[in-house]
Amino acid sequence: QVQLVESGGGLVQAGASLRLSCAASGRTASNYRMGWFRQAPGKEREFAASISWSGSATSYRDSVKGRFTISRDNAKNTVYLQMNSLKLEDTAVYYCAACVPYGCGEVKAWGQGTQVTVSS
């Protein structure tokens, strides 16, 4: 089993940038497709982005395309989410996820979440 710990959240103004990190321990994260999900207050958790084990394939929800970039460093067992041009609607708790290799429709492990708050 892999354990995931997120960091990098915070309070920023609209238009700013943040980089989230997800450090994996236990079973190596390179065995998994890795993803980021988010959950805004009163809403269901939603997929944001994912990346294949090699880093060669990425996927994003439409609302973050062109603004968010997911990447991974398997040597460091770390996954990143670079978030640029943040909007008020990006406010949410962001969760790192270890997914099965073919997609994040099935999640094997979750992190505890990190809060991102975007203010006007």
Side-chain angles (χ1 to χ4, degrees):
Q1 185 72 357
V2 63
Q3 291 80 45
L4 306 172
V5 178
E6 303 96 332
S7 62
L11 171 63
V12 297
Q13 289 191 322
S17 298
L18 273 178
R19 188 176 81 155
L20 305 183
S21 299
C22 172
S25 61
R27 192 172 181 182
T28 178
S30 63
N31 292 326
Y32 300 92
R33 184 177 188 94
M34 297 299 293
W36 287 95
F37 288 70
R38 65 186 186 181
Q39 187 167 19
K43 296 188 177 181
E44 293 187 353
R45 192 172 299 187
E46 65 181 20
F47 169 81
S50 69
I51 187 167
S52 63
W53 70 270
S54 68
S56 62
T58 57
S59 179
Y60 300 91
R61 71 179 299 107
D62 286 346
S63 60
V64 308
K65 283 180 181 177
R67 299 188 298 120
F68 289 12
T69 302
I70 189 170
S71 61
R72 67 191 298 165
D73 185 338
N74 287 339
K76 295 182 178 180
N77 262 355
T78 302
V79 179
Y80 306 97
L81 186 67
Q82 177 67 42
M83 305 185 295
N84 299 329
S85 302
L86 283 162
K87 303 177 179 181
L88 297 179
E89 53 264 39
D90 294 319
T91 294
V93 177
Y94 283 71
Y95 296 91
C96 181
C99 309
V100 296
Y102 47 85
C104 280
E106 181 177 350
V107 175
K108 291 297 189 180
W110 293 98
Q112 84 288 350
T114 185
Q115 177 70 48
V116 172
T117 303
V118 184
S119 66
S120 59

